[in-house]
């Protein structure tokens, strides 16, 4: 096996140094929660000679690294891309070097966070629902996840709550109360899954990552002629929707990693 190519430190050697391609991970470069294939990693290496490339995943750094580990030929997944964004860019790398990290608690501050957490717990304590378990607030790096029934609920209890919530609107009412109580906090509330909703700052979707490539945070980024984005959940409500429809990007919807490969061949390698 030959030694891996050195990590690039600029874009000047690319065929198109002013084109950047950004990729979602799950369903775009890899099967959902699975490993990127050797073929995909080889294709990305080839594409990297043509233009700049980056990844924008919603999962945390550890998870995305793992997805490029098995077939990455011993390379750290972070170095397979010019830009590497985990948690939508809350953790960011360029040329394998960390750029910045941000967290929900840093952004909101302890005092405001405690007011929010206490309000949630008080609100839950006054709910009348058939079942309550434990872990009502899960504290994560980029968000909090709030569950009226608690995240310790069993699968059966989750199904039952979901049904009950559809009839009684527990989560929508909870969110309405939070919006009324904290109108100035700049928070987005998003119902997902069966038993909970996410709370995170406005704009902390995948468009968060664009600040690092557009020079909004540093001054020496190239003026890209084109920023392409490839993702599978580009419909409204999907986690690629905002960056896909952002005026700064050219959006491409893919149906699978194989479809991504096909579209890349067509766009960049067919003559
Ligand atoms: Mg996806």
């Amino acid at each position: 096996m030959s030694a891996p190519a050195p990590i690039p430190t600029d874009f000047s050697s690319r065929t198109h140094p002013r084109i950047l391609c950004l990729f979602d991970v799950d369903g775009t470069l890899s099967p959902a929660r699975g490993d990127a294939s050797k073929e995909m990693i080889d294709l990305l290496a080839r594409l990297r000679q043509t233009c700049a490339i980056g990844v924008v995943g919603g999962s945390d750094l550890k998870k995305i690294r793992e997805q490029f580990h098995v077939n990455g030929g011993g390379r750290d997944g972070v170095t397979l891309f010019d830009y590497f964004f985990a948690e939508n860019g809350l953790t960011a790398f360029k040329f394998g070097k960390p750029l910045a990290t941000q967290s929900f608690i840093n952004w909101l501050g302890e005092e405001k966070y405690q007011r929010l957490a206490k309000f949630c717990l008080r609100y839950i304590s006054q709910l009348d629902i058939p079942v309550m378990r434990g872990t009502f607030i899960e504290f994560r790096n980029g968000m909090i996840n709030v569950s009226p029934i608690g995240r310790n609920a069993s699968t059966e209890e989750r199904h039952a709550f979901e049904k009950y919530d559809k009839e009684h609107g527990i989560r929508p009412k909870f969110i309405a109360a939070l919006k009324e109580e904290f109108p100035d906090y700049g928070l987005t509330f998003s119902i997902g899954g069966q038993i909970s909703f996410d709370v995170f700052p406005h704009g902390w979707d995948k468009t968060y990552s664009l600040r690092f490539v557009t020079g909004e945070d540093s001054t020496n980024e190239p003026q890209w002629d084109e920023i392409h984005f490839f993702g599978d959940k580009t419909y409204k409500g999907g986690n690629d929707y905002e960056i896909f429809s952002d005026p700064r990007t050219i959006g491409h919807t893919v149906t699978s990693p194989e479809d991504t490969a096909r579209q890349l061949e067509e766009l960049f390698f067919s003559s």
Side-chain angles (χ1 to χ4, degrees), residues 24-28 206 231-233 239-240:
D24 164 53
V25 182
D26 286 326
T28 300
K206 289 189 181 184
D232 66 321
K233 297 216 164 35
N239 65 0
D240 296 321

